[in-house]
Amino acid sequence: MINPVEFKDKQILLTGSAVGIGRAVALLLNQMGANIVMIDIDEPGLEKLSSELKGERHKSYCYDLKNLEGIEGLVSGIVSEKGPFDGFVHCVGIRSRRPLSMLKPSAVADIMGVNFGSFIELVRCTSKSNHFRPGYSIVGVSSVSAHAGSASVTAYAASKGAMESAVRCIAKEMANRKIRINTVIPSQINTPEYVKLRKNSPSEVEQLSERQYLGLGEPIDVANAIIFLLSDMSRFITGSSIAVDGGFLAS
Amino acid sequence: MTDINPMDLTGKNVMLVGTESETCESLARQLISLGSKLVAVDPDKSKLEELVRVTGSDNFSIYSFNIFDNALIENAISDISNTFGVFDGFVYCAGSGGVKPLSFTNNEFIAGMMNFNLYPFVEIVRCLNKKGRFSEGGSIVALSSISSIKGLKSKTAYSASKAALDASVRCIAAELGSKKIRVNSVMKGWTESDMKRDFISTNMELSEENDVRRQFLGPTSSHELANLIAFLLSDATRTITGTSIVIDGGYTL
């Protein structure tokens, strides 16, 4: 039997790993033999996850990615301790809801910084020579918000739109270094964020689920798509965005 | 037979922000000839005065402040609204290009690009969306680029800022729909002025020759761009909102 998706001894950088999609990616990668370097601001969440991972070579860093200036030092520290990366998955994303009347410039800049700025900075820093191995694959977690407008998520949507657009440029720029970069586009996924939304605005959830005709997605559904993009199975895929949305964008 | 003009803008009060591009001059002329009143806003006062001179119209007012300083926008828009009344249209033409390879695309460069192409737009719309400042049925148009949907080397920050702009357009359109305010963007490809600028800056050689070839209908003139923006401002597009219209001579096909 062959397994085309194998991660034995591969090192993957994972942000936003403590909950939701990030956590599912960590658990799945762990089953496939990868060493995982986790970054999250949620220390208890990181500790809980670490205790569930098999193997000794994982490492977690409690870090607030809002602090963009510190990322360069963080990455070079990780690489000198743990060696170069084979993959990077950016799951961090603040999804704060704010009506336009309250969306002051500082609020927009905060969300852009964490969701988009930290992504580009991590890509920039990990793509330095000796920081990655050939075949390095990067996956950003975008959102259907980048494509379908909904009220009160202007800044979040803008940050995800920026991510997908940047990925197309970086894919072209980094191709000769044997780096691939793509995004996945999840819709409503059964994460703690979704549970919050369902409680606060049930009517919106109902509307969304009408378009999302395969029902509610689970974190593992998105994790599977991410693993595929990380692996050599997708060697010929770069600069693209794959919808994992139960039919949402196509309906 | 009576003449009808579906793009008639008679009596519409339009604010035009950002006047550095050639598009702006064409746009100003076109909007005025379609009957609208215009308030042009830009940091560069002499440019504004020049624009008034070349268009030579009484329906044209100007207001100068640094639109890229977000802290100034709230007061400026309040001042503009008090002076010029309720607006029926807003066009955001400001912004900046800029090319840097990824290795030099640091936070500062990205934040600077967002500060040109995204933040002032959202902040101006936020401030215009207050009682008595923007009319029901009004229209907002942002100038975007096909860079928003196509990747080019060294354009990461620029492309990201335009994609962010387009995504914000969709959300704001959803949010302002209840007030019948429409929000759209125009994704431009290669324009004649881009080509002229690049031609000069690269010692009389077309730098991205391949890209020019891809745009098989040739470069877009600023007049054609102005027509599309005027169309989106007019009541002819009463049910078009949240979209980005591509005007690129076939580049993205």
Side-chain angles (χ1 to χ4, degrees), chain B residues 156-167:
Chain B
T156 299
Y158 175 73
S159 301
S161 70
K162 290 301 192 185
L165 179 67
D166 292 331

Side-chain angles (χ1 to χ4, degrees), chain A residues 5-70:
Chain A
V5 185
E6 226 224 321
F7 289 93
K8 197 167 179 308
D9 296 326
K10 291 200 170 168
Q11 176 158 273
I12 312 291
L13 176 66
L14 183 58
T15 65
S17 43
V19 291
I21 293 168
R23 188 179 142 80
V25 173
L27 293 170
L28 188 58
L29 279 173
N30 184 229
Q31 286 171 13
M32 297 177 152
N35 303 323
I36 308 162
V37 175
M38 295 159 276
I39 300 177
D40 203 298
I41 191 178
D42 173 5
E43 196 157 18
L46 276 179
E47 273 169 20
K48 180 168 181 293
L49 177 62
S50 299
S51 69
E52 291 170 50
L53 296 178
K54 290 173 291 184
E56 305 298 316
R57 301 180 61 190
H58 315 294
K59 178 124 196 196
S60 64
Y61 295 82
C62 181
Y63 184 86
D64 185 355
L65 287 168
K66 208 188 287 174
N67 173 14
L68 299 172
E69 302 306 321

Side-chain angles (χ1 to χ4, degrees), chain B residues 1-106:
Chain B
M1 201 178 87
T2 42
D3 281 343
I4 62 153
N5 178 3
M7 278 169 67
D8 187 10
L9 299 176
T10 303
K12 288 198 191 287
N13 198 13
V14 178
M15 176 158 71
L16 181 58
V17 173
T19 58
E20 60 201 301
S21 65
E22 264 177 50
T23 309
C24 185
E25 190 186 317
S26 294
L27 185 60
R29 283 181 194 278
Q30 189 68 336
L31 296 183
I32 283 169
S33 61
L34 286 166
S36 73
K37 287 186 290 179
L38 215 54
V39 180
V41 182
D42 196 272
D44 187 342
K45 196 162 185 207
S46 58
K47 228 184 216 134
L48 286 170
E49 284 162 352
E50 171 68 10
L51 203 54
V52 171
R53 202 185 56 75
V54 297
T55 47
S57 166
D58 297 336
N59 282 331
F60 195 179
S61 315
I62 56 174
Y63 189 94
S64 178
F65 82 99
N66 184 5
I67 54 176
F68 303 115
D69 184 344
N70 282 306
L72 302 179
I73 293 177
E74 186 144 26
N75 284 335
I77 295 298
S78 151
D79 194 22
I80 291 170
S81 296
N82 291 339
T83 315
F84 300 105
V86 184
F87 285 99
D88 308 289
F90 162 47
V91 183
Y92 187 72
C93 277
S96 161
V99 179
K100 261 187 195 187
L102 181 66
S103 48
F104 297 103
T105 302
N106 57 15

Side-chain angles (χ1 to χ4, degrees), chain B:
Chain B
M1 201 178 87
T2 42
D3 281 343
I4 62 153
N5 178 3
M7 278 169 67
D8 187 10
L9 299 176
T10 303
K12 288 198 191 287
N13 198 13
V14 178
M15 176 158 71
L16 181 58
V17 173
T19 58
E20 60 201 301
S21 65
E22 264 177 50
T23 309
C24 185
E25 190 186 317
S26 294
L27 185 60
R29 283 181 194 278
Q30 189 68 336
L31 296 183
I32 283 169
S33 61
L34 286 166
S36 73
K37 287 186 290 179
L38 215 54
V39 180
V41 182
D42 196 272
D44 187 342
K45 196 162 185 207
S46 58
K47 228 184 216 134
L48 286 170
E49 284 162 352
E50 171 68 10
L51 203 54
V52 171
R53 202 185 56 75
V54 297
T55 47
S57 166
D58 297 336
N59 282 331
F60 195 179
S61 315
I62 56 174
Y63 189 94
S64 178
F65 82 99
N66 184 5
I67 54 176
F68 303 115
D69 184 344
N70 282 306
L72 302 179
I73 293 177
E74 186 144 26
N75 284 335
I77 295 298
S78 151
D79 194 22
I80 291 170
S81 296
N82 291 339
T83 315
F84 300 105
V86 184
F87 285 99
D88 308 289
F90 162 47
V91 183
Y92 187 72
C93 277
S96 161
V99 179
K100 261 187 195 187
L102 181 66
S103 48
F104 297 103
T105 302
N106 57 15
N107 303 314
E108 202 186 338
F109 183 62
I110 296 172
M113 200 65 90
M114 293 294 170
N115 203 36
F116 276 121
N117 296 334
L118 175 70
Y119 299 159
F121 172 72
V122 176
E123 179 64 354
I124 293 170
V125 174
R126 185 182 78 80
C127 296
L128 278 175
N129 180 36
K130 289 187 180 174
K131 218 171 174 223
R133 292 188 181 174
F134 210 77
S135 68
E136 201 175 290
S139 171
I140 295 170
V141 182
L143 185 62
S144 181
S145 155
I146 54 166
S147 289
S148 164
I149 50 172
K150 287 284 159 187
L152 282 175
K153 286 180 187 176
S154 304
K155 282 201 161 178
T156 299
Y158 175 73
S159 301
S161 70
K162 290 301 192 185
L165 179 67
D166 292 331
S168 79
V169 159
R170 288 185 285 270
C171 293
I172 296 170
E175 197 165 337
L176 302 189
S178 58
K179 296 185 178 176
K180 304 259 185 292
I181 295 173
R182 301 182 296 105
V183 194
N184 294 286
S185 73
V186 170
M187 287 181 180
K188 70 180 178 77
W190 281 86
T191 61
E192 280 171 355
S193 50
D194 290 338
M195 297 196 42
K196 226 182 287 173
R197 189 194 58 225
D198 277 37
F199 191 66
I200 293 162
S201 70
T202 55
N203 302 318
M204 307 301 169
E205 265 176 73
L206 284 171
S207 57
E208 307 222 26
E209 210 177 329
N210 181 34
D211 295 311
V212 177
R213 258 206 315 273
R214 271 179 71 167
Q215 189 159 330
F216 53 80
L217 290 187
T220 307
S221 73
S222 53
H223 186 69
E224 290 153 355
L225 212 48
N227 273 334
L228 179 54
I229 294 170
F231 173 65
L232 286 170
L233 286 174
S234 76
D235 293 337
T237 52
R238 201 186 54 84
T239 53
I240 299 183
T241 194
T243 68
S244 300
I245 298 187
V246 170
I247 175 165
D248 70 347
Y251 185 99
T252 51
L253 290 182

Side-chain angles (χ1 to χ4, degrees), chain A:
Chain A
M1 205 171 82
I2 64 153
N3 180 0
V5 185
E6 226 224 321
F7 289 93
K8 197 167 179 308
D9 296 326
K10 291 200 170 168
Q11 176 158 273
I12 312 291
L13 176 66
L14 183 58
T15 65
S17 43
V19 291
I21 293 168
R23 188 179 142 80
V25 173
L27 293 170
L28 188 58
L29 279 173
N30 184 229
Q31 286 171 13
M32 297 177 152
N35 303 323
I36 308 162
V37 175
M38 295 159 276
I39 300 177
D40 203 298
I41 191 178
D42 173 5
E43 196 157 18
L46 276 179
E47 273 169 20
K48 180 168 181 293
L49 177 62
S50 299
S51 69
E52 291 170 50
L53 296 178
K54 290 173 291 184
E56 305 298 316
R57 301 180 61 190
H58 315 294
K59 178 124 196 196
S60 64
Y61 295 82
C62 181
Y63 184 86
D64 185 355
L65 287 168
K66 208 188 287 174
N67 173 14
L68 299 172
E69 302 306 321
I71 291 175
E72 189 151 26
L74 176 72
V75 168
S76 66
I78 295 173
V79 171
S80 54
E81 190 187 335
K82 304 284 296 174
F85 296 110
D86 299 285
F88 160 41
V89 185
H90 192 64
C91 294
V92 154
I94 325 176
R95 191 182 189 203
S96 78
R97 303 173 71 82
R98 221 175 246 261
L100 183 65
S101 56
M102 289 159 64
L103 192 64
K104 292 208 166 188
S106 60
V108 185
D110 279 353
I111 289 181
M112 288 302 291
V114 177
N115 294 6
F116 172 69
S118 73
F119 176 63
I120 301 298
E121 183 64 355
L122 282 162
V123 171
R124 188 180 74 82
C125 296
T126 57
S127 61
K128 292 180 188 171
S129 40
N130 302 323
H131 284 47
F132 65 94
R133 280 203 282 257
Y136 182 41
S137 174
I138 300 167
V139 183
V141 177
S142 179
S143 159
V144 288
S145 297
H147 301 269
S150 47
S152 307
V153 291
T154 299
Y156 176 77
S159 72
K160 297 300 189 182
M163 175 193 259
E164 286 189 30
S165 193
V167 158
R168 287 187 282 268
C169 295
I170 296 169
K172 214 164 183 177
E173 193 169 336
M174 293 285 129
N176 58 2
R177 313 191 72 182
K178 303 264 181 281
I179 297 175
R180 293 186 301 113
I181 180 166
N182 295 285
T183 59
V184 291
I185 313 173
S187 51
Q188 292 304 318
I189 303 295
N190 193 7
T191 62
E193 279 289 310
Y194 167 79
V195 174
K196 229 183 337 184
L197 178 71
R198 195 175 53 191
K199 214 174 103 204
N200 296 338
S201 42
S203 64
E204 190 180 336
V205 168
E206 199 180 312
Q207 255 178 22
L208 291 171
S209 45
E210 239 167 68
R211 280 184 68 183
Q212 190 172 323
Y213 51 78
L214 288 187
L216 182 63
E218 292 297 327
I220 186 72
D221 297 323
V222 186
N224 280 327
I226 292 172
I227 298 290
F228 170 74
L229 286 172
L230 281 178
S231 78
D232 293 337
M233 282 276 278
S234 56
R235 199 186 59 85
F236 204 56
I237 301 180
T238 196
S240 77
S241 299
I242 299 184
V244 188
D245 67 349
F248 180 89
L249 287 176
S251 74

